[in-house]
Structures are given as C-alpha cells and as structure tokens.
Coordinates of all heavy atoms in Angstrom, one line a residue:
M2 N -30.1 -75.5 182.7 CA -30.1 -76.9 182.1 C -30.3 -76.8 180.6 O -31.2 -76.1 180.1 CB -31.3 -77.7 182.8 CG -31.3 -79.2 182.4 SD -32.7 -80.1 183.0 CE -32.6 -80.0 184.7
G3 N -29.5 -77.5 179.9 CA -29.6 -77.5 178.4 C -30.7 -78.4 177.9 O -31.3 -79.1 178.6
K4 N -30.9 -78.2 176.6 CA -32.0 -78.9 175.9 C -31.8 -80.4 176.0 O -32.7 -81.2 176.3 CB -32.0 -78.4 174.5 CG -33.2 -78.9 173.7 CD -33.1 -78.2 172.3 CE -34.2 -78.6 171.4 NZ -34.0 -78.0 170.1
Y5 N -30.5 -80.9 175.8 CA -30.2 -82.3 175.9 C -30.6 -82.8 177.3 O -31.2 -83.9 177.4 CB -28.7 -82.5 175.6 CG -28.3 -84.0 175.6 CD1 -28.4 -84.7 174.4 CD2 -27.9 -84.6 176.8 CE1 -28.0 -86.1 174.4 CE2 -27.6 -86.0 176.8 CZ -27.6 -86.7 175.6 OH -27.3 -88.0 175.6
S6 N -30.2 -82.1 178.3 CA -30.5 -82.6 179.7 C -32.0 -82.6 180.0 O -32.5 -83.5 180.6 CB -29.8 -81.7 180.7 OG -28.4 -81.7 180.6
E7 N -32.7 -81.6 179.5 CA -34.2 -81.6 179.7 C -34.8 -82.8 179.0 O -35.7 -83.4 179.6 CB -34.7 -80.3 179.1 CG -34.4 -79.1 180.0 CD -34.8 -77.8 179.3 OE1 -35.6 -77.8 178.4 OE2 -34.4 -76.7 179.8
I8 N -34.4 -83.1 177.8 CA -35.0 -84.2 177.0 C -34.6 -85.5 177.7 O -35.4 -86.4 177.9 CB -34.5 -84.2 175.6 CG1 -35.0 -83.0 174.8 CG2 -34.9 -85.5 174.8 CD1 -34.3 -82.7 173.5
Y9 N -33.3 -85.7 178.1 CA -32.9 -86.8 178.9 C -33.7 -87.1 180.1 O -34.2 -88.2 180.3 CB -31.4 -86.6 179.3 CG -30.7 -87.8 179.9 CD1 -29.9 -88.6 179.2 CD2 -30.9 -88.1 181.3 CE1 -29.2 -89.7 179.7 CE2 -30.3 -89.2 181.8 CZ -29.4 -90.0 181.1 OH -28.8 -91.1 181.6
D10 N -34.0 -86.0 180.9 CA -34.8 -86.2 182.1 C -36.2 -86.5 181.8 O -36.8 -87.4 182.4 CB -34.8 -84.9 182.9 CG -33.4 -84.6 183.6 OD1 -32.6 -85.5 183.6 OD2 -33.2 -83.4 184.0
K11 N -36.8 -85.9 180.7 CA -38.2 -86.2 180.4 C -38.3 -87.7 179.9 O -39.3 -88.4 180.3 CB -38.6 -85.3 179.3 CG -40.0 -85.5 178.7 CD -41.1 -84.8 179.3 CE -41.0 -83.3 179.1 NZ -42.1 -82.5 179.5
I12 N -37.4 -88.2 179.1 CA -37.5 -89.5 178.6 C -37.3 -90.5 179.8 O -38.0 -91.6 179.8 CB -36.6 -89.8 177.5 CG1 -36.9 -88.9 176.3 CG2 -36.6 -91.3 177.0 CD1 -36.0 -89.0 175.1
T13 N -36.4 -90.2 180.7 CA -36.3 -91.1 181.9 C -37.5 -91.1 182.7 O -37.9 -92.2 183.3 CB -35.1 -90.7 182.8 OG1 -35.2 -89.4 183.2 CG2 -33.7 -90.9 182.1
K14 N -38.3 -90.0 182.8 CA -39.6 -90.0 183.4 C -40.6 -90.9 182.7 O -41.4 -91.5 183.3 CB -40.1 -88.6 183.6 CG -39.3 -87.8 184.6 CD -39.7 -86.4 184.8 CE -38.8 -85.7 185.8 NZ -38.9 -84.2 185.7
I15 N -40.6 -90.9 181.4 CA -41.4 -91.7 180.6 C -41.1 -93.2 180.9 O -42.0 -94.0 181.1 CB -41.3 -91.4 179.1 CG1 -41.9 -90.0 178.8 CG2 -42.0 -92.5 178.3 CD1 -41.6 -89.6 177.4
L16 N -39.8 -93.5 180.9 CA -39.4 -94.9 181.2 C -39.9 -95.3 182.6 O -40.3 -96.5 182.7 CB -37.9 -95.0 181.2 CG -37.2 -95.1 179.8 CD1 -35.7 -94.9 179.9 CD2 -37.6 -96.3 179.1
F17 N -39.9 -94.4 183.6 CA -40.4 -94.8 184.9 C -41.9 -94.9 184.9 O -42.5 -95.9 185.3 CB -40.0 -93.9 186.0 CG -40.5 -94.2 187.3 CD1 -40.0 -95.3 188.0 CD2 -41.6 -93.5 187.9 CE1 -40.6 -95.7 189.2 CE2 -42.1 -93.9 189.1 CZ -41.6 -95.0 189.8
S18 N -42.6 -93.9 184.3 CA -44.1 -93.9 184.4 C -44.7 -95.0 183.6 O -45.8 -95.5 184.0 CB -44.6 -92.5 184.1 OG -44.4 -92.2 182.7
E19 N -44.2 -95.3 182.4 CA -44.8 -96.2 181.5 C -44.3 -97.7 181.7 O -45.0 -98.6 181.4 CB -44.6 -95.8 180.0 CG -45.3 -94.5 179.7 CD -46.8 -94.5 179.8 OE1 -47.4 -95.5 179.5 OE2 -47.3 -93.5 180.3
F20 N -43.0 -97.8 182.1 CA -42.4 -99.1 182.2 C -41.8 -99.5 183.5 O -41.3 -100.6 183.7 CB -41.2 -99.2 181.1 CG -41.7 -98.9 179.7 CD1 -41.5 -97.6 179.2 CD2 -42.3 -99.9 179.0 CE1 -42.0 -97.3 177.9 CE2 -42.7 -99.6 177.7 CZ -42.5 -98.3 177.1
G21 N -41.9 -98.6 184.5 CA -41.4 -98.9 185.8 C -39.9 -99.0 185.9 O -39.3 -99.6 186.8
I22 N -39.2 -98.4 185.0 CA -37.7 -98.4 184.9 C -37.1 -97.2 185.6 O -37.4 -96.1 185.2 CB -37.2 -98.5 183.5 CG1 -37.7 -99.8 182.9 CG2 -35.6 -98.5 183.5 CD1 -37.4 -99.9 181.4
Y23 N -36.4 -97.4 186.7 CA -35.8 -96.3 187.5 C -34.6 -95.7 186.7 O -33.9 -96.4 186.1 CB -35.4 -96.8 188.9 CG -36.5 -97.1 189.8 CD1 -37.0 -98.4 189.8 CD2 -37.1 -96.1 190.5 CE1 -38.0 -98.8 190.7 CE2 -38.2 -96.5 191.4 CZ -38.6 -97.8 191.4 OH -39.7 -98.1 192.2
D24 N -34.5 -94.4 186.9 CA -33.4 -93.7 186.2 C -32.0 -94.2 186.5 O -31.1 -94.0 185.7 CB -33.5 -92.1 186.3 CG -33.4 -91.7 187.8 OD1 -33.3 -92.5 188.7 OD2 -33.3 -90.5 188.0
E25 N -31.8 -94.7 187.6 CA -30.5 -95.3 187.9 C -30.1 -96.5 187.1 O -28.9 -96.9 187.0 CB -30.3 -95.6 189.4 CG -31.2 -96.6 190.0 CD -32.4 -96.0 190.8 OE1 -32.7 -94.8 190.6 OE2 -33.0 -96.7 191.6
F26 N -31.1 -97.0 186.4 CA -30.9 -98.2 185.5 C -30.8 -97.7 184.0 O -30.8 -98.6 183.1 CB -32.0 -99.2 185.6 CG -32.0 -99.8 187.0 CD1 -33.1 -99.6 187.9 CD2 -31.0 -100.7 187.5 CE1 -33.1 -100.1 189.1 CE2 -31.0 -101.2 188.7 CZ -32.1 -100.9 189.6
V27 N -30.7 -96.4 183.8 CA -30.6 -95.9 182.5 C -29.3 -95.0 182.3 O -29.1 -94.1 183.1 CB -31.8 -95.0 182.1 CG1 -31.7 -94.4 180.8 CG2 -33.1 -95.8 182.3
K28 N -28.5 -95.4 181.4 CA -27.3 -94.6 181.1 C -27.3 -94.3 179.6 O -27.8 -95.0 178.8 CB -26.0 -95.4 181.4 CG -26.0 -96.0 182.8 CD -25.7 -94.9 183.8 CE -25.6 -95.4 185.2 NZ -26.4 -94.8 186.2
E29 N -26.6 -93.2 179.2 CA -26.5 -92.8 177.8 C -26.0 -93.9 176.9 O -26.5 -94.1 175.8 CB -25.6 -91.6 177.7 CG -26.2 -90.3 178.1 CD -25.2 -89.2 178.0 OE1 -24.2 -89.1 178.8 OE2 -25.3 -88.4 177.0
K30 N -25.1 -94.7 177.4 CA -24.5 -95.7 176.5 C -25.3 -97.0 176.4 O -24.9 -97.9 175.6 CB -23.0 -96.0 177.0 CG -23.0 -96.6 178.3 CD -21.6 -96.9 178.8 CE -21.6 -97.6 180.2 NZ -20.3 -97.9 180.6
Y31 N -26.3 -97.1 177.2 CA -27.1 -98.3 177.2 C -28.0 -98.4 175.9 O -28.6 -97.4 175.5 CB -28.1 -98.4 178.4 CG -27.4 -98.7 179.7 CD1 -26.0 -98.8 179.9 CD2 -28.2 -98.9 180.9 CE1 -25.4 -99.1 181.1 CE2 -27.6 -99.2 182.1 CZ -26.2 -99.3 182.2 OH -25.7 -99.6 183.4
R32 N -27.9 -99.6 175.3 CA -28.8 -99.8 174.1 C -30.2 -99.9 174.5 O -30.5 -100.5 175.6 CB -28.3 -101.1 173.4 CG -27.0 -100.9 172.7 CD -26.5 -102.2 172.1 NE -26.2 -103.2 173.2 CZ -26.8 -104.4 173.2 NH1 -27.5 -104.9 172.3 NH2 -26.5 -105.2 174.3
L33 N -31.1 -99.4 173.7 CA -32.5 -99.5 174.0 C -33.0 -100.9 174.1 O -33.6 -101.3 175.0 CB -33.4 -98.7 173.0 CG -33.2 -97.2 172.9 CD1 -34.0 -96.6 171.8 CD2 -33.5 -96.5 174.2
R34 N -32.5 -101.7 173.1 CA -32.9 -103.1 173.1 C -31.6 -103.9 173.5 O -30.6 -103.8 172.9 CB -33.3 -103.6 171.7 CG -33.7 -105.0 171.7 CD -34.5 -105.4 170.5 NE -34.9 -106.8 170.6 CZ -35.0 -107.6 169.6 NH1 -34.9 -107.1 168.4 NH2 -35.4 -108.8 169.7
G35 N -31.8 -104.6 174.6 CA -30.7 -105.4 175.1 C -30.2 -105.0 176.4 O -30.1 -105.8 177.3
D36 N -30.1 -103.7 176.6 CA -29.7 -103.1 177.9 C -30.8 -102.6 178.7 O -30.9 -102.9 179.9 CB -28.6 -102.0 177.7 CG -27.3 -102.5 177.1 OD1 -26.9 -103.7 177.4 OD2 -26.7 -101.7 176.4
I37 N -31.7 -101.9 178.1 CA -32.9 -101.3 178.8 C -34.1 -102.2 178.6 O -34.8 -102.5 179.6 CB -33.2 -99.9 178.3 CG1 -32.0 -99.0 178.6 CG2 -34.4 -99.3 179.0 CD1 -32.1 -97.6 178.1
F38 N -34.4 -102.6 177.4 CA -35.5 -103.5 177.1 C -35.0 -104.8 176.5 O -34.0 -104.8 175.7 CB -36.5 -102.9 176.1 CG -37.1 -101.6 176.6 CD1 -36.8 -100.4 176.0 CD2 -38.1 -101.7 177.6 CE1 -37.5 -99.2 176.5 CE2 -38.7 -100.5 178.0 CZ -38.4 -99.3 177.5
E39 N -35.7 -105.9 176.7 CA -35.4 -107.2 176.1 C -36.2 -107.3 174.8 O -35.7 -107.9 173.8 CB -35.8 -108.3 177.0 CG -34.9 -108.4 178.2 CD -33.5 -108.7 177.9 OE1 -33.2 -109.5 177.0 OE2 -32.6 -108.1 178.5
D40 N -37.4 -106.7 174.7 CA -38.3 -106.9 173.7 C -38.4 -105.7 172.7 O -38.5 -104.6 173.2 CB -39.7 -107.2 174.3 CG -40.8 -107.5 173.3 OD1 -40.5 -107.5 172.1 OD2 -41.9 -107.8 173.7
R41 N -38.3 -106.0 171.4 CA -38.4 -104.9 170.4 C -39.7 -104.1 170.6 O -39.8 -102.9 170.4 CB -38.2 -105.5 169.0 CG -38.3 -104.4 168.0 CD -38.1 -105.1 166.6 NE -38.2 -104.1 165.5 CZ -39.3 -103.5 165.1 NH1 -40.4 -103.7 165.6 NH2 -39.2 -102.6 164.1
L42 N -40.8 -104.8 170.9 CA -42.1 -104.2 171.1 C -42.0 -103.1 172.1 O -42.7 -102.0 172.0 CB -43.1 -105.2 171.4 CG -44.6 -104.7 171.4 CD1 -44.9 -104.1 170.0 CD2 -45.5 -105.9 171.7
E43 N -41.3 -103.3 173.2 CA -41.2 -102.3 174.2 C -40.4 -101.1 173.7 O -40.8 -99.9 174.1 CB -40.4 -102.8 175.5 CG -41.2 -103.9 176.2 CD -40.5 -104.6 177.3 OE1 -39.3 -105.0 177.0 OE2 -41.0 -104.6 178.4
V44 N -39.5 -101.3 172.9 CA -38.8 -100.1 172.3 C -39.7 -99.3 171.4 O -39.8 -98.1 171.5 CB -37.5 -100.6 171.4 CG1 -36.9 -99.4 170.7 CG2 -36.5 -101.3 172.3
V45 N -40.5 -100.0 170.6 CA -41.5 -99.4 169.8 C -42.5 -98.6 170.6 O -42.9 -97.4 170.3 CB -42.3 -100.4 168.9 CG1 -43.5 -99.8 168.2 CG2 -41.3 -101.0 167.9
E46 N -42.9 -99.1 171.7 CA -43.8 -98.4 172.7 C -43.2 -97.2 173.2 O -43.8 -96.2 173.4 CB -44.3 -99.4 173.8 CG -45.4 -98.9 174.6 CD -45.9 -99.9 175.6 OE1 -45.7 -101.1 175.5 OE2 -46.6 -99.4 176.6
L47 N -41.9 -97.3 173.6 CA -41.2 -96.1 174.1 C -41.1 -95.0 173.1 O -41.4 -93.9 173.4 CB -39.8 -96.5 174.5 CG -38.9 -95.3 174.9 CD1 -39.4 -94.5 176.1 CD2 -37.4 -95.7 175.1
I48 N -40.8 -95.4 171.8 CA -40.7 -94.4 170.7 C -42.1 -93.7 170.5 O -42.2 -92.5 170.4 CB -40.2 -95.1 169.4 CG1 -38.8 -95.7 169.6 CG2 -40.3 -94.1 168.3 CD1 -37.8 -94.7 170.1
F49 N -43.2 -94.5 170.6 CA -44.5 -94.0 170.5 C -44.8 -93.0 171.6 O -45.3 -91.9 171.3 CB -45.5 -95.2 170.5 CG -46.9 -94.7 170.5 CD1 -47.5 -94.3 169.3 CD2 -47.7 -94.7 171.6 CE1 -48.9 -93.9 169.2 CE2 -49.1 -94.3 171.6 CZ -49.6 -93.9 170.4
N50 N -44.4 -93.3 172.8 CA -44.6 -92.4 173.9 C -43.8 -91.1 173.8 O -44.3 -90.0 174.1 CB -44.3 -93.1 175.2 CG -45.4 -94.0 175.7 OD1 -46.5 -93.6 176.0 ND2 -45.1 -95.3 175.8
V51 N -42.6 -91.2 173.3 CA -41.7 -90.1 173.1 C -42.3 -89.2 172.0 O -42.4 -88.0 172.1 CB -40.3 -90.5 172.8 CG1 -39.4 -89.3 172.3 CG2 -39.7 -91.2 174.0
E52 N -42.7 -89.8 170.9 CA -43.4 -89.0 169.8 C -44.6 -88.3 170.3 O -44.8 -87.1 169.9 CB -43.7 -90.0 168.6 CG -42.6 -90.5 167.9 CD -43.0 -91.5 166.8 OE1 -44.0 -92.3 167.0 OE2 -42.3 -91.5 165.8
N53 N -45.4 -88.9 171.1 CA -46.6 -88.2 171.6 C -46.2 -87.1 172.5 O -46.9 -86.0 172.5 CB -47.5 -89.2 172.3 CG -48.3 -90.1 171.3 OD1 -48.5 -89.7 170.2 ND2 -48.7 -91.2 171.8
E54 N -45.3 -87.3 173.4 CA -44.8 -86.3 174.4 C -44.3 -85.1 173.7 O -44.6 -84.0 174.1 CB -43.8 -86.9 175.3 CG -43.2 -85.9 176.3 CD -44.2 -85.5 177.3 OE1 -45.1 -86.3 177.7 OE2 -44.2 -84.3 177.8
Y55 N -43.6 -85.2 172.6 CA -42.9 -84.1 171.9 C -43.6 -83.7 170.6 O -43.2 -82.7 170.0 CB -41.5 -84.4 171.6 CG -40.6 -84.4 172.9 CD1 -40.3 -85.5 173.5 CD2 -40.2 -83.2 173.4 CE1 -39.5 -85.5 174.7 CE2 -39.4 -83.1 174.5 CZ -39.1 -84.3 175.2 OH -38.3 -84.2 176.3
Q56 N -44.7 -84.4 170.3 CA -45.4 -84.1 169.0 C -44.5 -84.1 167.8 O -44.5 -83.1 167.0 CB -46.2 -82.8 169.2 CG -47.3 -82.8 170.2 CD -48.4 -83.8 169.9 OE1 -49.0 -83.8 168.9 NE2 -48.5 -84.8 170.8
I57 N -43.7 -85.2 167.7 CA -42.7 -85.3 166.6 C -42.9 -86.7 166.0 O -43.7 -87.5 166.6 CB -41.3 -85.2 167.1 CG1 -40.9 -86.2 168.2 CG2 -41.0 -83.7 167.6 CD1 -39.5 -86.3 168.5
S58 N -42.3 -86.9 164.9 CA -42.3 -88.2 164.3 C -40.8 -88.6 164.2 O -40.0 -87.9 163.7 CB -42.9 -88.1 162.9 OG -42.9 -89.4 162.3
I59 N -40.5 -89.8 164.6 CA -39.2 -90.4 164.6 C -39.1 -91.4 163.5 O -39.9 -92.4 163.5 CB -38.8 -91.0 166.0 CG1 -38.8 -89.9 167.0 CG2 -37.4 -91.7 165.9 CD1 -38.5 -90.4 168.5
D60 N -38.2 -91.2 162.6 CA -38.0 -92.2 161.5 C -37.6 -93.5 162.1 O -36.6 -93.6 162.8 CB -36.9 -91.7 160.5 CG -36.7 -92.6 159.3 OD1 -37.2 -93.7 159.3 OD2 -35.9 -92.1 158.4
E61 N -38.4 -94.6 161.8 CA -38.1 -95.9 162.4 C -36.7 -96.4 161.9 O -36.1 -97.3 162.6 CB -39.2 -96.9 162.0 CG -39.3 -97.2 160.5 CD -40.5 -98.0 160.2 OE1 -41.6 -97.8 160.7 OE2 -40.3 -99.0 159.4
N62 N -36.2 -95.9 160.8 CA -34.9 -96.4 160.4 C -33.7 -95.9 161.3 O -32.6 -96.4 161.2 CB -34.6 -95.9 158.9 CG -35.6 -96.6 158.0 OD1 -35.8 -97.8 158.1 ND2 -36.1 -95.9 157.0
L63 N -34.0 -94.9 162.1 CA -33.0 -94.3 163.0 C -32.9 -95.2 164.2 O -31.9 -95.1 165.0 CB -33.4 -92.9 163.4 CG -33.4 -91.8 162.3 CD1 -33.9 -90.5 162.8 CD2 -32.0 -91.7 161.7
I64 N -33.9 -96.0 164.5 CA -33.9 -96.9 165.7 C -33.4 -98.3 165.3 O -34.2 -99.0 164.6 CB -35.2 -96.9 166.4 CG1 -35.8 -95.4 166.6 CG2 -35.2 -97.7 167.7 CD1 -34.9 -94.6 167.5
T65 N -32.2 -98.6 165.6 CA -31.7 -100.0 165.3 C -31.4 -100.7 166.5 O -31.6 -100.3 167.6 CB -30.4 -99.8 164.4 OG1 -29.4 -99.3 165.3 CG2 -30.6 -98.9 163.2
E66 N -30.8 -101.9 166.3 CA -30.4 -102.8 167.4 C -29.3 -102.1 168.3 O -29.2 -102.4 169.5 CB -29.8 -104.1 166.9 CG -30.8 -104.9 166.2 CD -31.8 -105.6 167.2 OE1 -31.4 -106.0 168.2 OE2 -33.0 -105.7 166.8
K67 N -28.6 -101.2 167.7 CA -27.4 -100.5 168.3 C -27.8 -99.1 168.9 O -26.9 -98.5 169.5 CB -26.3 -100.4 167.4 CG -25.7 -101.7 166.9 CD -24.6 -101.6 166.0 CE -24.1 -102.9 165.6 NZ -22.9 -102.9 164.6
T68 N -29.0 -98.7 168.7 CA -29.4 -97.3 169.2 C -29.3 -97.3 170.7 O -29.9 -98.1 171.4 CB -30.8 -97.0 168.7 OG1 -30.8 -97.0 167.3 CG2 -31.2 -95.6 169.1
T69 N -28.6 -96.3 171.2 CA -28.5 -96.2 172.7 C -29.5 -95.1 173.2 O -30.1 -94.4 172.4 CB -27.1 -95.7 173.0 OG1 -26.9 -94.3 172.5 CG2 -26.0 -96.6 172.6
F70 N -29.6 -95.1 174.5 CA -30.5 -94.1 175.1 C -30.0 -92.7 174.7 O -30.8 -91.8 174.4 CB -30.5 -94.2 176.6 CG -31.4 -93.3 177.3 CD1 -32.8 -93.6 177.3 CD2 -31.0 -92.2 178.0 CE1 -33.7 -92.7 177.9 CE2 -31.9 -91.3 178.6 CZ -33.2 -91.6 178.5
G71 N -28.7 -92.5 174.7 CA -28.1 -91.2 174.3 C -28.5 -90.8 172.9 O -28.8 -89.7 172.6
D72 N -28.4 -91.8 172.0 CA -28.8 -91.6 170.6 C -30.3 -91.1 170.5 O -30.6 -90.2 169.7 CB -28.7 -92.9 169.8 CG -27.2 -93.4 169.6 OD1 -26.3 -92.6 169.7 OD2 -27.0 -94.6 169.4
L73 N -31.1 -91.8 171.3 CA -32.6 -91.4 171.2 C -32.7 -89.9 171.7 O -33.5 -89.2 171.1 CB -33.4 -92.3 172.1 CG -34.9 -92.0 172.2 CD1 -35.6 -92.0 170.9 CD2 -35.6 -92.9 173.2
V74 N -32.0 -89.6 172.7 CA -32.1 -88.2 173.2 C -31.7 -87.2 172.1 O -32.3 -86.2 171.8 CB -31.3 -88.0 174.5 CG1 -31.3 -86.5 174.9 CG2 -31.8 -88.8 175.6
K75 N -30.6 -87.5 171.4 CA -30.1 -86.7 170.3 C -31.1 -86.7 169.1 O -31.3 -85.6 168.5 CB -28.7 -87.2 169.8 CG -27.6 -87.0 170.8 CD -26.3 -87.6 170.3 CE -25.3 -87.6 171.4 NZ -24.2 -88.4 171.1
I76 N -31.7 -87.8 168.8 CA -32.7 -87.8 167.8 C -33.9 -86.9 168.1 O -34.3 -86.1 167.2 CB -33.2 -89.3 167.5 CG1 -32.1 -90.2 166.9 CG2 -34.5 -89.3 166.7 CD1 -32.4 -91.6 167.0
V77 N -34.3 -86.9 169.3 CA -35.4 -86.0 169.7 C -35.0 -84.6 169.7 O -35.6 -83.7 169.2 CB -35.9 -86.4 171.2 CG1 -36.9 -85.4 171.7 CG2 -36.6 -87.8 171.2
E78 N -33.8 -84.3 170.2 CA -33.2 -83.0 170.2 C -33.2 -82.4 168.8 O -33.5 -81.3 168.5 CB -31.8 -83.0 170.8 CG -31.2 -81.6 170.9 CD -29.8 -81.7 171.6 OE1 -29.1 -82.6 171.4 OE2 -29.5 -80.8 172.4
N79 N -32.7 -83.2 167.8 CA -32.6 -82.8 166.4 C -34.0 -82.6 165.8 O -34.1 -81.8 164.8 CB -31.8 -83.8 165.6 CG -30.3 -83.8 166.0 OD1 -29.8 -82.8 166.5 ND2 -29.6 -84.9 165.8
A80 N -35.0 -83.3 166.3 CA -36.3 -83.2 165.7 C -37.1 -82.0 166.2 O -38.1 -81.6 165.6 CB -37.1 -84.5 166.0
L81 N -36.6 -81.4 167.3 CA -37.3 -80.2 167.8 C -36.8 -78.9 167.2 O -35.8 -78.8 166.7 CB -37.1 -80.1 169.3 CG -37.7 -81.3 170.1 CD1 -37.3 -81.2 171.6 CD2 -39.2 -81.3 170.0

C-alpha cells in the first residue's frame, strides 16, 4: 500500500471516529465543505485532528472552499 493510500485510509478513520462519517460517503473528489461537511468549523476541526495525528502543520491558506478530500490527502503527503 502506498503512502497516499495509507493517508487516505487514516483520514477516513478520523472522519468516522470524530464525526461519524462512514468511508462510503467519502470520495477523493468530494469537497471538504459542501460535500462532506456543511459547516466550516467542522472542516477546521478535521484539519486540527489531522495535524495532531501526523504532527504536522497545515497552512490554512491551502484549505479553501474548493479543497477536496483528495487534495487534503496530498497536502498531508507533501507535509510528511
């Protein structure tokens, strides 16, 4: 399993454990805000959880209205 796949799986587990979102409701092309979450605050909370899990810092300017789940996985992959 590649690094991208491992990160993808780990973040989907965070989505389930912290937000109750099942992985079948998460696709790479889904936008974090609008498709997965309705509220910007939930996106911020997800980013916080991901940062803690990976001990990284994600530039808030990288997370926009158009940021997809796949984009987030790539941002984490590039930060490691």
